[in-house]
Amino acid sequence: MDRNTEQGQPLLARQPIFDHQQRVIAYDLLYKEDEHLNAMLQTDPEAESSSEVILHAYTSISDQGEVKRVPAFIQIAPRMIQEGTMPTLPAKQVVICVRLTEPGNMDLLRALHKMSKDGYRIALTDFRFSPEYDTALKIAKIIKIDVGQLDQSGIQEQAEHLRPYKATLLATNIASFDTLEHCISSGYKLFQGSFLSKPKVVKGRKVNANQIALMQLIQELQKPSATPEKLEDLIIRDPILTYKLLRIVNSAAYSLVRQVESIAEAVVLLGMEQIRKWATLIAMTANRDKPEELTRILLTRGHMCEMIAQSEHQPNPSGFFMVGMMSGLHAMLDIDQETLLEQLPLGEDIKAALAKGEGKMGQVLKQVIAYESGDWDQLPSDFDISLYEATYRHSLKWTKESMQAMYE
């Protein structure tokens, strides 16, 4: 890909929004600058970046095997709304987010009222209650409160002030389960933040035998000397893994003319790379107590790291996949990362990347996490925008299709 891409090209990522059962009900679309929104949504046949394609790519997910679309929250500059320059967007698929700084700006309020009448849902972002916002609060369907800046009494106070209005409260920047639970009890209905990636550490907890067996399998798959027979010997130790791999290889995703009956045969047909990825996916979906979104995030991250390594001709791209996927596996297992790295059979380069961000793997991991989080300022000035945008979008698609195949 062209490494001379202009730095003005828009960057786009997504952040999930959950209900109280930790189901994804929407994605917040993150992009670098308001003035790039028009460019991002313009029809571009080569880049496939029309508004419909953009929304489909970033809001289409596999949920328990069923592919569905969820709405996109899109931040729009007030001036674009007031001046009528906002791109045309499908009203049912988006929520228009606006940060109000002038509660008495009647031109903006009239424009928002018209958009509401036209079927758009309006969300007020980074909001703090004041009686001056009464008119805006009567228009808005959703109020986004940054609870990361509030203590428990402040969280409850905002909810009490806003209770007379019909808007749904969305708590953002939630960093812990305690905060999440307090927001739920205070009356907030929607939730967003890093709380999903925080493990509930149990002192002395260890990875169970089946999980270690899966990690040993993934480790073996990275060895050039791995053979179908050796892999079969590892796989058949776990009946669930054996069943799921055979179900996947016989699913509609591969359209085989005959049924595969042995693991060795499945390894030959699928190839080492496919078996490695499916074993990883099965390992990550083993914990049903965790939201499916965490699996989506880590698989997308792993695949993106791998694609970047392949594009840059790095050795061992499958190791980059492991680094991306393993970067949050400790949260799924509810143990700290140090304990996880001590117990699992991983290469020293992978451990160094995860524990200290060292080496090329560590560097790519940090940049991929910065990209997916919308922390654009953490990315180096010379990074390849086209590469990261393309690999992120492709990884979202790959993850959706992979997770769907798990349930076929």
Side-chain angles (χ1 to χ4, degrees):
M1 296 188 181
D2 183 8
R3 293 190 175 275
N4 296 317
T5 305
E6 293 185 3
Q7 294 299 305
Q9 181 175 334
L11 304 178
L12 187 63
R14 72 184 194 185
Q15 188 173 43
I17 295 172
F18 303 90
D19 64 11
H20 71 283
Q21 294 180 317
Q22 295 184 30
R23 295 176 301 194
V24 175
I25 59 92
Y27 281 106
D28 205 349
L29 295 196
L30 311 175
Y31 52 91
K32 191 171 184 181
E33 297 179 21
D34 288 337
E35 56 263 38
H36 293 321
L37 181 65
N38 273 303
M40 181 183 78
L41 298 177
Q42 289 300 315
T43 300
D44 180 349
E46 184 177 351
E48 294 186 337
S49 57
S50 68
S51 62
E52 185 60 32
V53 173
I54 285 283
L55 291 172
H56 185 274
Y58 287 85
T59 64
S60 179
I61 61 173
S62 171
D63 186 39
Q64 296 296 311
E66 178 186 352
V67 175
K68 67 178 185 179
R69 293 280 298 275
V70 295
F73 280 57
I74 302 181
Q75 188 76 33
I76 306 291
R79 59 176 174 75
M80 294 180 71
I81 295 172
Q82 189 170 326
E83 296 169 2
T85 58
M86 187 189 86
T88 300
L89 298 168
K92 292 183 178 181
Q93 297 176 27
V94 299
V95 175
I96 303 301
C97 301
V98 184
R99 184 177 295 105
L100 291 184
T101 56
E102 301 175 3
N105 185 338
M106 295 308 299
D107 289 338
L108 175 59
L109 292 173
R110 279 191 288 268
L112 288 173
H113 180 72
K114 182 180 184 303
M115 290 181 67
S116 179
K117 290 293 186 183
D118 290 340
Y120 287 101
R121 288 164 289 181
I122 307 299
L124 303 181
T125 65
D126 295 332
F127 191 79
R128 289 291 182 274
F129 176 80
S130 169
E132 298 174 293
Y133 289 100
D134 182 72
T135 301
L137 287 168
K138 292 175 180 176
I139 298 171
K141 295 293 185 184
I142 297 170
I143 310 296
K144 297 177 73 173
I145 307 292
D146 184 350
V147 299
Q149 305 298 318
L150 300 172
D151 57 17
Q152 288 198 357
S153 62
I155 291 172
Q156 188 169 347
E157 185 180 79
Q158 287 296 311
E160 290 173 352
H161 283 313
L162 294 166
R163 192 165 290 127
Y165 300 93
K166 295 181 179 179
T168 299
L169 299 188
L170 165 55
T172 69
N173 199 20
I174 301 174
S176 71
F177 278 99
D178 288 343
T179 302
L180 171 64
E181 290 171 356
H182 184 69
C183 289
I184 292 173
S185 65
S186 297
Y188 293 76
K189 300 300 183 184
L190 302 176
F191 312 94
Q192 186 178 26
S194 63
F195 63 96
L196 277 179
S197 62
K198 305 293 183 182
K200 292 189 287 187
V201 179
V202 179
K203 189 174 183 180
R205 176 129 182 212
K206 293 182 179 297
V207 182
N208 69 42
N210 282 348
Q211 290 163 335
I212 289 179
L214 281 166
M215 291 302 112
Q216 288 174 334
L217 170 61
I218 294 167
Q219 183 77 355
E220 181 67 25
L221 282 160
Q222 295 184 69
K223 297 179 180 178
S225 59
T227 64
E229 292 74 22
K230 175 63 174 176
L231 297 176
E232 181 176 47
D233 182 56
L234 289 171
I235 291 169
I236 60 176
R237 297 177 188 177
D238 187 335
I240 294 176
L241 177 59
T242 301
Y243 166 74
K244 287 189 173 182
L245 280 177
L246 288 175
R247 186 176 68 175
I248 288 165
V249 76
N250 287 319
S251 72
Y254 289 96
S255 303
L256 299 179
V257 296
R258 60 183 174 81
Q259 294 284 295
V260 174
E261 298 180 354
S262 76
I263 290 298
E265 188 180 8
V267 172
V268 171
L269 283 172
L270 291 186
M272 296 295 190
E273 287 300 300
Q274 288 295 316
I275 290 291
R276 174 179 56 79
K277 290 174 181 177
W278 284 118
T280 303
L281 181 58
I282 292 168
M284 295 187 63
T285 55
N287 188 349
R288 292 303 179 187
D289 295 332
K290 291 293 182 179
E292 201 167 298
E293 180 62 22
L294 184 51
T295 299
R296 269 194 287 272
I297 290 171
L298 296 180
L299 288 174
T300 301
R301 184 183 298 169
H303 194 256
M304 188 174 174
C305 287
E306 181 180 42
M307 290 189 71
I308 290 169
Q310 290 171 338
S311 177
E312 296 179 348
H313 306 291
Q314 296 291 332
N316 188 23
S318 64
F320 284 76
F321 180 90
M322 279 291 287
V323 165
M325 183 273 292
M326 292 290 294
S327 63
L329 189 60
H330 61 293
M332 298 191 75
L333 303 179
D334 281 332
I335 62 177
D336 61 279
Q337 190 178 71
E338 182 179 357
T339 301
L340 181 74
L341 296 180
E342 287 175 357
Q343 295 183 31
L344 295 183
L346 299 170
E348 291 303 317
D349 53 347
I350 293 176
K351 288 185 177 181
L354 291 168
K356 303 176 183 178
E358 293 179 350
K360 185 62 179 179
M361 288 180 180
Q363 177 187 341
V364 169
L365 175 63
K366 286 188 287 188
Q367 292 178 8
V368 166
I369 291 175
Y371 186 99
E372 70 181 23
S373 303
D375 294 330
W376 317 121
D377 294 339
Q378 301 299 314
L379 294 166
S381 59
D382 61 347
F383 91 107
D384 189 337
I385 292 178
S386 293
L387 173 62
Y388 275 65
E389 193 278 335
T391 55
Y392 182 69
R393 189 183 300 189
H394 186 280
S395 297
L396 292 177
K397 181 174 182 288
W398 176 84
T399 298
K400 179 187 70 176
E401 293 173 350
S402 297
M403 294 185 72
Q404 182 185 8
M406 281 287 293
Y407 292 88
E408 289 185 349

